[in-house]
Amino acid sequence: MSTDHRVVIIGAGFSGLGAAIRLKAARIDDFVVLERADSVGGTWRANTYPGCQCDVPSHLYSYSFAPNPNWTRTFSHQREIWDYLRACVERYGLRPHLHLGVEVHGCVWQEEPGHWLLETSAGALRASVVIGAMGALSEPSLPPLPGIDRFAGPLFHSAAWRHDVELRGARVALIGTGASAIQIAPEIQPVVSELAVYQRTPPWILPHPDRPIGDRERALYRVAPLTQRAMRSAIAWAREALVLGFRHPWLGGPGERLARSHLERQVADPRMREMLRPAYRLGCKRILISNRYYPALMQPNVTLVPHAVTEVRPHSLVAEDGIERPADVIVAATGFRVTDSPASHRIRGRDGRTLAEHWNGSPQAYKGTTIAGFPNLFMLLGPHTGLGHTSVLLMIESQIDYVLGALRAMDERRIGALEPRPAVQAAFVAGLRRRARGTVWESGGCASWYLDAGGHSVLWPDSAWRFRRALRHFDLTSYLARPYSSSSR
Ligand code: N01
């Protein structure tokens, strides 16, 4: 790998590959994509747990420029999405740019001459521009439970599934009841001897509208791609309307009634219903969809423990009720490090401080993408870009357009380095915070990964369409720009 590049992209998931495809299309060829894993795919490579399925409709879960007429279900399983991404690598000729198994240990801005210096497992690299495409949900979080290191059996995270561990006949403890756990439980329940599901907070669960897409429908999308495009638009616009429910929690009433009747239809036992009934507003945490989770909980080999785990012992777990329950295997479906990602400790800006030091638990960026004090760094799916109602692909593509606009402006005006003006960034973040006040994420009565250390929502508090509009043009006047010097790279 050569050591000097115009652009280095860190991460080969949806956002990194999307950026690579669009750079190529813009005839920018001097770039590399660094990926620490041995394959592309990001979240859709890492999450191989049984039952892993996207909860965003398939037609909306692809790049707009690369529709896939061959999805076999209206909500795709992990394997199909991973295959789609790998097919994109070949279709767009990304292989020569990809460097797999290369981990970035550090990324430091060098004010003189004005470039990024990256320390990687394959040596040092220099780049004028870094596109951070590390993903928001890529660093598994294990709860810091006393005794967790002393568990005698296998213990693994949902995003690092141990396929070598035999679950047949085992007593399995599943910690967590988020999007991952509710997909895992129905898959492993039939094979394990006992399954204990540790629930700290019951989730809201809606009926799953998934269905297979038959041969004829797929053939239609192949011969008449406009039909799939129309379907994608219809789904996208219908979903945009849902954002109103997050902004005005009282609008969530019909959704809450639907979820309650789903629970009542699937769970006959009033004691179980009580344990499974959420005590916060719909949407405060991610809304889950499943037709199989509640029925799995009703099986005789399953125990719902409606308490947090407080301690792990070599052959058991202790929950908040003080009861010790034995286990042979522990599956931690305990989510990800969102507001304190390890990557934020490895990127150092103009003043030598890391992103984590700048953010202090409250990640901030201008338009979710650029950060004052971190010249020529573009974060895809950065702070304030998460969504609860539609596909993050819409956000990623808006951001990539914005980055391309910035690169064009740098070329046209011979700019060597640019970063958002601190006051512009501060005003942008203040505006978002005002807009997030009263949303269900901040007022819905729950704790979630949507909130940062200061209790502010890290999500985009609006429609994906408004995000697109905000990022449609690269607004050079919001930036401090410094001219190109021949030693910049
Ligand atoms: O993680 P989570 P996830 N004792 O953070 C619990 C995306 N995703 O991997 O709710 C007991 O949601 C914790 O309890 P509480 C999606 O964006 C999408 O499931 O904090 N429990 C919670 O139940 C999603 O939002 C898909 O009280 C403990 C769970 O662990 C995001 O990824 C599939 C505990 C963590 O839930 C993360 O989802 C999967 C303890 N000591 C993921 N500590 C789809 O597309 C923590 N918990 C379908």
Side-chain angles (χ1 to χ4, degrees):
M1 172 172 35
S2 100
T3 54
D4 277 80
H5 296 280
R6 176 161 188 211
V7 181
V8 167
I9 300 172
I10 309 175
F14 256 113
S15 40
L17 295 179
I21 294 168
R22 296 291 312 283
L23 282 180
K24 272 196 83 157
R27 300 188 185 286
I28 298 173
D29 273 311
D30 182 10
F31 72 90
V32 286
V33 184
L34 308 181
E35 167 57 55
R36 65 182 171 180
D38 56 7
S39 172
V40 301
T43 227
W44 299 102
R45 170 201 54 75
N47 283 273
T48 60
Y49 62 75
C52 181
Q53 183 182 19
C54 186
D55 59 6
V56 174
S58 307
H59 292 309
L60 209 49
Y61 212 79
S62 60
Y63 299 118
S64 61
F65 51 80
N68 177 12
N70 300 318
W71 297 123
T72 61
R73 303 200 69 85
T74 53
F75 290 80
S76 300
H77 284 266
Q78 173 263 340
R79 185 71 203 204
E80 258 184 71
I81 303 176
W82 190 28
D83 287 347
Y84 166 79
L85 281 171
R86 286 185 297 172
C88 284
V89 168
E90 305 311 328
R91 176 170 165 190
Y92 292 97
L94 299 184
R95 244 191 219 274
H97 298 272
L98 269 180
H99 296 275
L100 301 174
V102 177
E103 176 149 21
V104 175
H105 300 308
C107 184
V108 181
W109 176 255
Q110 313 264 287
E111 187 67 353
E112 283 306 328
H115 61 212
W116 286 98
L117 183 63
L118 292 96
E119 289 299 334
T120 81
S121 54
L125 287 181
R126 277 187 304 238
S128 166
V129 167
V130 167
I131 299 181
M134 292 83 80
L137 302 169
S138 49
E139 294 293 339
S141 160
L142 279 179
L145 296 169
I148 194 160
D149 298 333
R150 292 197 298 279
F151 185 65
L155 183 162
F156 51 89
H157 190 270
S158 53
W161 194 267
R162 289 269 308 272
H163 292 277
D164 60 320
V165 172
E166 178 59 90
L167 295 185
R168 191 166 297 279
R171 293 170 302 180
V172 177
L174 175 61
I175 310 180
T177 52
S180 304
I182 68 146
Q183 295 185 330
I184 293 168
E187 293 292 323
I188 64 174
Q189 172 275 321
V191 301
V192 304
S193 74
E194 288 171 29
L195 175 64
V197 178
Y198 289 85
Q199 169 191 275
R200 187 162 67 183
T201 316
W204 284 101
I205 302 180
L206 293 173
H208 206 312
D210 184 31
R211 65 168 175 84
I213 301 178
D215 291 344
R216 280 161 60 162
E217 192 177 338
R218 290 206 296 271
L220 175 69
Y221 297 141
R222 273 194 297 274
V223 297
L226 276 182
T227 53
Q228 193 178 23
R229 240 171 228 292
M231 187 72 103
R232 178 181 167 103
S233 293
I235 296 170
W237 284 110
R239 291 207 150 227
E240 289 288 59
L242 299 177
V243 85
L244 288 174
F246 295 113
R247 299 199 45 74
H248 308 289
W250 56 272
L251 284 174
E256 290 177 356
R257 282 195 288 283
L258 177 63
R260 272 193 219 109
S261 74
H262 186 49
L263 170 65
E264 276 153 31
R265 252 195 328 274
Q266 293 203 317
V267 179
D269 176 356
R271 212 178 53 91
M272 278 289 274
R273 277 186 192 168
E274 217 33 62
M275 291 196 279
L276 290 165
R277 214 186 297 281
Y280 54 90
R281 302 281 342 226
L282 176 81
C284 186
K285 287 170 176 287
R286 190 171 179 88
I287 300 171
L288 309 185
I289 45 177
S290 175
N291 299 334
R292 297 176 57 216
Y293 177 63
Y294 289 142
L297 292 184
M298 304 309 292
Q299 299 309 307
N301 65 337
V302 180
T303 307
L304 177 68
V305 182
H307 303 286
V309 176
T310 52
E311 187 190 339
V312 177
R313 295 184 183 160
H315 300 282
S316 62
L317 292 86
V318 183
E320 235 171 7
D321 57 359
I323 297 178
E324 180 177 4
R325 296 173 177 87
D328 306 314
V329 178
I330 298 179
V331 176
T334 44
F336 299 87
R337 289 174 63 179
V338 179
T339 54
D340 181 38
S341 75
S344 67
H345 292 267
R346 295 190 198 128
I347 301 178
R348 284 184 190 278
R350 211 161 21 76
D351 64 3
R353 292 190 307 141
T354 62
L355 273 176
E357 285 165 335
H358 273 256
W359 287 343
N360 195 22
S362 288
Q364 299 185 15
Y366 179 56
K367 298 194 172 178
T369 312
T370 52
I371 300 147
F374 292 78
N376 296 4
L377 172 68
F378 297 92
M379 297 277 285
L380 301 183
L381 292 185
H384 333 293
T385 58
L387 291 168
H389 69 287
T390 187
S391 171
V392 285
L393 266 292
L394 303 176
M395 307 299 271
I396 291 171
E397 289 199 34
S398 298
Q399 291 189 287
I400 295 173
D401 282 339
Y402 190 73
V403 177
L404 289 172
L407 296 182
R408 259 194 313 273
M410 290 173 84
D411 274 348
E412 286 165 10
R413 292 164 190 261
R414 295 194 55 72
I415 294 169
L418 47 77
E419 61 178 289
R421 296 174 188 276
V424 171
Q425 178 176 314
F428 177 81
V429 172
L432 287 188
R433 288 189 174 164
R434 271 196 305 278
R435 199 125 175 93
R437 249 176 248 147
T439 57
V440 74
W441 310 303
E442 294 192 0
S443 69
C446 77
S448 81
W449 65 262
Y450 291 167
L451 301 180
D452 67 19
H456 302 291
S457 159
V458 295
L459 298 191
W460 174 249
D462 234 311
S463 63
W465 175 78
R466 273 192 186 236
F467 187 73
R468 165 155 291 276
R469 213 176 52 170
L471 274 74
R472 197 168 34 197
H473 301 294
F474 181 70
D475 44 339
L476 185 56
T477 52
S478 303
Y479 283 79
L480 296 168
R482 147 180 148 183
Y484 178 79
S485 80
S486 55
S487 55
S488 289
R489 182 160 73 74

